[in-house]
Every structure is written in structure tokens, then in C-alpha cells.
Amino acid sequence: MTENDKALEAQRIAEQYNGIDYRSFEYEGLPPAGEPSPLLRIPEQTTLTKKIGNTEYTLNVHFR
């Protein structure tokens, strides 16, 4: 699969899910979900931080 094929496939998937409404599902013991992130080829934010109770969790995201 070439880079162009990958880009076309990513574009097709983004268009396919563009009109679908976001629904959150309640799971016992989990905090409520925040706003969903839009589909992007290269995400703008690479560090995600969430505070649950007195603990702050940080996720560093790396893309290749």
C-alpha cells in the first residue's frame, strides 16, 4: 500500500464517519467522557492530561 493509497483510505474513513453523531456510553466506575476529538490526519495535541480525584494522569502521544 503506497502513501497515496493510505491517504485516500484515511480520507474515505473520515468522510464515512463525518455525519455520525457522537454517543457516550455509561460504564460503572468510569468518569463521564469529555468532548470527542475530531478526526485529523495529524493530531494537534500530543499530550493529554486528565485529573481524576486527587491524581492527575498524563499521556504523551507519539506519532510516526
Side-chain angles (χ1 to χ4, degrees):
M1 186 177 264
T2 66
E3 288 295 321
N4 193 29
D5 292 339
K6 290 179 185 178
L8 289 173
E9 179 69 7
Q11 181 65 31
R12 185 190 66 77
I13 291 170
E15 289 171 358
Q16 178 181 355
Y17 290 99
N18 190 27
I20 294 177
D21 293 333
Y22 173 77
R23 294 180 305 208
S24 64
F25 298 95
E26 297 298 323
Y27 291 101
E28 188 177 324
L30 293 177
E35 288 295 315
S37 299
L39 289 174
L40 299 173
R41 183 158 188 245
I42 301 173
E44 298 172 356
Q45 186 177 359
T46 57
T47 301
L48 308 171
T49 304
K50 179 73 173 180
K51 186 171 184 175
I52 300 174
N54 292 329
T55 305
E56 186 173 285
Y57 298 93
T58 302
L59 176 66
N60 293 317
V61 184
H62 300 277
F63 298 93
R64 291 170 56 171

